[in-house]
Amino acid sequence: MTDPRGERGECAECGARGCEELFHGLLALDHSRAEPWGPLHGVSVSCFLLQHPGRLPADGGAAARGLLGAYLDGGQPAVERLIGRARAANSHRVKGGAVPGGAAQGPAVRPGREAPRGGFAVTIEQVAQGGTFPAAGFPERVRAWAAATLEVWGPHSG
């Protein structure tokens, strides 16, 4: 079995050291629903998934890219609107599925193009700042993480 980490213990997908452990620590903070971590849960998970293409869901990361694009374009209120539309589309009252203006249209991984691996200017390692995800500056670090993630993935459609 091949070790997915490089010589220095870096993740072969995102380039961070200890990303798996850091992600579990961040999830624990997210699930506390406390500020500033809880409200940014969807953004953080989207960044992590897009920086780990081996974990992408069946949509190839389209929903994650749509969420990050909404966040960068309109902040947390835009994310909340997007999530609200997704919940409405998932309702048993909606026939036919999609709600206009919902998540990103089309696949995130375009035909003939592989998901990027590495090359991210900001990873969970920088967001963690020593593994503790301090509250001070956390939203700014997550915004930088989202921007760095989409920069490597290419332009998003918002």
Side-chain angles (χ1 to χ4, degrees), residues 59-63 65 103-109 157:
D59 74 351
R65 272 185 86 216
Q105 287 75 34
V109 181
S157 56

Side-chain angles (χ1 to χ4, degrees), residues 89-152:
N90 198 31
S91 169
H92 69 279
R93 296 183 191 125
V94 176
K95 295 194 189 247
V99 170
Q105 287 75 34
V109 181
R110 295 178 193 96
R113 179 174 184 250
E114 297 237 351
R117 292 182 187 272
F120 300 102
V122 179
T123 67
I124 195 169
E125 187 175 5
Q126 287 79 36
V127 177
Q129 289 198 332
T132 62
F133 298 96
F138 181 76
E140 293 80 10
R141 292 190 308 275
V142 170
R143 182 173 263 300
W145 190 19
T149 301
L150 285 186
E151 183 177 313
V152 172

